[in-house]
Amino acid sequence: MYRLHQQLGSAHYASRVRTPASRLTLPPDRTDGQYHAPLVCAIPDSTAPVMTAAHRSGTIARTAMAYVLAGGRGSRLYELTDRRAKPAVYFGGKTRIIDFALSNALNSGIRRIGVATQYKAHSLIRHLQRGWNFLRPERNESFDILPASQRVSETQWYDGTADAVFQNIDIIEAYGPEYMVILAGDHIYKMDYELMLQQHVDQGADVTIGCLEVARAEASGFGVMHVDEHDRIVSFLEKPADPPCIPGNPEMALASMGIYVFKTNFLFELLRRDAADPGSSRDFGKDIIPYVVEGGKAVAHRFSTSCVKADSEGEAYWRDAGTIDSYWEANIDLTSVVPSLDLYDHSWPIWTYSEITAPAKFVHNEDGRRGMALNSLVSGGCIVSGARLHKSLLFTGVNLHSYAYLDGAVLQPYVDVGRSARLKNVIVDRGTQIPQGLVVGEDPVLDAKRFRRSDKGIVLITQAMLDKLYS
């Protein structure tokens, strides 16, 4: 059995339980001597952040460090991750995927954050430097970008998710956090980590694991928690053929979200033991978590208990967006009258880097040449010049020229669409120049020959594909 670390009494926290920001009553200024760091949204440079009372830090969160694992490629996104890691992929018109995990940490009250990067990290690092440089050490805040840099061995990069933490133990120790919140940087969701931290402390757990309730038929693609009636984890199964059900609910299973809470010193003990094991794959899901489940106290934290939802949102929202189809669907869903994810929720904002751009512009008002958009999101710097778009999403700086028509299109930043082009059910990579008269989405056989077409008919277009086509 593990040596249990000192337990903090739950009574100390009982009167200070924090609810998700969407349900907060704004408190008066604190008088307990604790400094609560401000928040900022869409910072174009080093502008000083502004705090709102609804985002004051939680009691336990202020003693925690969020550590985001952001080194994965996301190979099922194919050419979208040829030049960037999956956490750096654009989402929702203004943000990157990693902004959701980082914003959750900030909105939850965590003021020490580390991000481990590895695969093609330049785009991600540049985004983090521009948009997340407002946490200040003089306020006991920190934001560290931790690329794989052979810190342990001159021949060793990050060998796995656990190793990405182990190699930076000395940096984490210098900050002295009491708790570690380990996060995946490639999922889209809104969650109050303070509530998960409270559960971890109150239940005296060795590890608390964030879990989704999913249909058993879909759970085979996840790590699945087998729990008892008190949500204590009795076994952890990686992508099982026959997932165990939730007690009392035979149709549902608990899938791991890749979110783990540990007492910091205990995590370090686990990582050092794992690093000394030559048979380990240095992975949280494959090595660290099964080891704790077998010999210690591992508990499940259900996402539904800490998911932050606006009044307009129905079910708890969580997306992987790890395939061409799921990425397109998650973006296009935002164009709905009432989308599943509310990006207009001011009580739980998604912080990001925002370029300084002119407003979106719609010009020309002639029959057949009218700049207009229906059920669409159009970001700053876009010019819709005599073109039409329906149920589409335009990132920053997109230009649509006269007579072009878009339906179900996700256009990443600085795409240029030539005259009379017709694009349906497409994703267009950043900076791509769509030639005049190009038609995509009307001939499946031709689309598959020229571009990457998914099983559901979504077509991915990149500049390299067009260069090859017209060479």
Side-chain angles (χ1 to χ4, degrees):
M1 290 290 290
Y2 292 122
R3 176 177 60 85
L4 294 179
H5 291 258
Q6 181 180 6
Q7 310 279 322
L8 295 179
S10 60
H12 175 69
Y13 302 100
S15 63
R16 306 178 72 175
V17 172
R18 182 173 181 271
T19 56
S22 58
R23 301 193 297 274
L24 279 176
T25 299
L26 302 187
D29 289 341
R30 295 287 297 256
T31 58
D32 58 5
Q34 295 187 23
Y35 182 84
H36 296 277
L39 302 180
V40 65
C41 181
I43 302 180
D45 47 40
S46 58
T47 306
V50 178
M51 186 174 85
T52 61
H55 302 126
R56 297 183 187 277
S57 61
T59 303
I60 308 176
R62 202 63 175 89
T63 68
M65 180 177 186
Y67 196 97
V68 184
L69 300 169
R73 171 178 178 177
S75 58
R76 295 178 299 164
L77 288 171
Y78 297 101
E79 288 82 2
L80 284 180
T81 54
D82 273 354
R83 293 181 296 172
R84 62 187 73 89
K86 182 186 172 186
V89 169
Y90 300 96
F91 181 81
K94 292 178 67 69
T95 59
R96 309 283 187 116
I97 290 176
I98 195 173
D99 289 326
F100 286 83
L102 295 175
S103 296
N104 288 335
L106 201 64
N107 293 339
S108 298
I110 297 173
R111 292 296 180 270
R112 294 204 183 278
I113 300 174
V115 181
T117 68
Q118 182 151 289
Y119 172 84
K120 294 191 177 181
H122 176 69
S123 177
L124 176 59
I125 291 173
R126 183 175 58 190
H127 171 72
L128 297 175
Q129 289 173 334
R130 291 174 174 176
W132 289 89
N133 61 356
F134 53 87
L135 293 173
R136 307 298 300 172
E138 56 267 32
R139 296 193 296 253
N140 291 321
E141 303 169 350
S142 60
F143 189 92
D144 288 275
I145 303 171
L146 303 166
S149 53
Q150 299 176 315
R151 300 184 71 249
V152 173
S153 167
E154 293 183 359
T155 60
Q156 183 179 344
W157 301 96
Y158 292 152
D159 282 344
T161 55
D163 190 55
V165 182
F166 170 74
Q167 289 200 32
N168 295 298
I169 281 179
D170 59 327
I171 295 175
I172 299 170
E173 280 183 320
Y175 293 125
E178 189 171 358
Y179 299 96
M180 292 294 296
V181 183
I182 308 298
L183 303 169
D186 55 358
H187 299 142
I188 302 160
Y189 63 104
K190 296 188 295 185
M191 178 177 176
D192 190 345
Y193 301 139
E194 167 71 9
L195 300 181
M196 186 173 176
L197 282 160
Q198 288 172 358
Q199 177 186 336
H200 181 80
V201 172
D202 291 345
Q203 296 189 0
D206 292 317
V207 63
T208 301
I209 302 174
C211 295
L212 289 167
E213 298 180 39
V214 300
R216 286 187 64 226
E218 302 172 3
S220 295
F222 295 87
V224 177
M225 308 292 125
H226 185 195
V227 299
D228 63 17
E229 61 274 12
H230 302 295
D231 279 349
R232 179 163 180 169
I233 301 169
V234 296
S235 64
F236 175 83
L237 307 170
E238 186 69 26
K239 298 181 179 180
D242 184 22
C245 69
I246 298 173
N249 192 344
E251 302 301 321
M252 304 295 288
L254 282 180
S256 172
M257 300 172 68
I259 301 174
Y260 314 114
V261 172
F262 296 90
K263 197 80 175 286
T264 302
N265 291 338
F266 181 56
L267 174 61
F268 289 171
E269 292 175 12
L270 293 171
L271 294 175
R272 290 181 174 119
R273 184 208 66 82
D274 185 73
D277 180 1
S280 171
S281 57
R282 312 284 186 260
D283 186 83
F284 274 101
K286 296 178 181 177
D287 303 290
I288 301 296
I289 300 305
Y291 184 74
V292 180
V293 169
E294 181 181 355
K297 184 177 182 180
V299 299
H301 174 84
R302 301 198 188 196
F303 177 51
S304 57
T305 65
S306 56
C307 171
V308 177
K309 296 189 294 183
D311 293 338
S312 63
E313 293 174 301
E315 297 180 354
Y317 184 98
W318 183 92
R319 298 291 186 274
D320 183 3
T323 66
I324 295 298
D325 289 329
S326 63
Y327 175 78
W328 179 87
E329 290 167 358
N331 277 282
I332 292 299
D333 176 70
L334 298 174
T335 68
S336 302
V337 176
V338 182
S340 300
L341 174 67
D342 184 3
L343 294 180
Y344 295 86
D345 180 11
H346 294 292
S347 67
W348 200 267
I350 305 303
W351 315 103
T352 190
Y353 167 71
S354 182
E355 298 180 50
I356 298 175
T357 64
K361 183 178 182 179
F362 296 77
V363 296
H364 296 305
N365 187 23
E366 308 164 12
D367 289 342
R369 193 192 185 200
R370 182 170 291 115
M372 60 184 295
L374 296 173
N375 293 349
S376 298
L377 296 180
V378 181
S379 301
C382 292
I383 300 177
V384 181
S385 177
R388 295 179 299 138
L389 58 151
H390 171 256
K391 206 166 180 62
S392 296
L393 188 152
L394 308 186
F395 286 79
T396 302
V398 171
N399 283 341
L400 305 182
H401 295 278
S402 293
Y403 313 109
Y405 177 65
L406 275 59
D407 185 8
V410 178
L411 272 54
Q412 294 193 352
Y414 300 103
V415 169
D416 188 275
V417 179
R419 282 190 164 212
S420 302
R422 299 199 305 272
L423 306 178
K424 182 176 181 180
N425 296 343
V426 300
I427 302 168
V428 183
D429 193 22
R430 178 188 172 107
T432 300
Q433 306 290 306
I434 300 295
Q436 180 174 325
L438 180 69
V439 177
V440 179
E442 298 179 14
D443 186 335
V445 176
L446 184 60
D447 290 343
K449 288 181 179 180
R450 299 182 298 177
F451 308 110
R452 182 175 295 281
R453 185 178 186 276
S454 73
D455 293 338
K456 293 185 178 180
I458 306 304
V459 180
L460 172 61
I461 304 172
T462 69
Q463 189 62 51
M465 295 174 187
L466 290 170
D467 291 343
K468 183 178 179 181
L469 182 63
Y470 290 98
S471 61

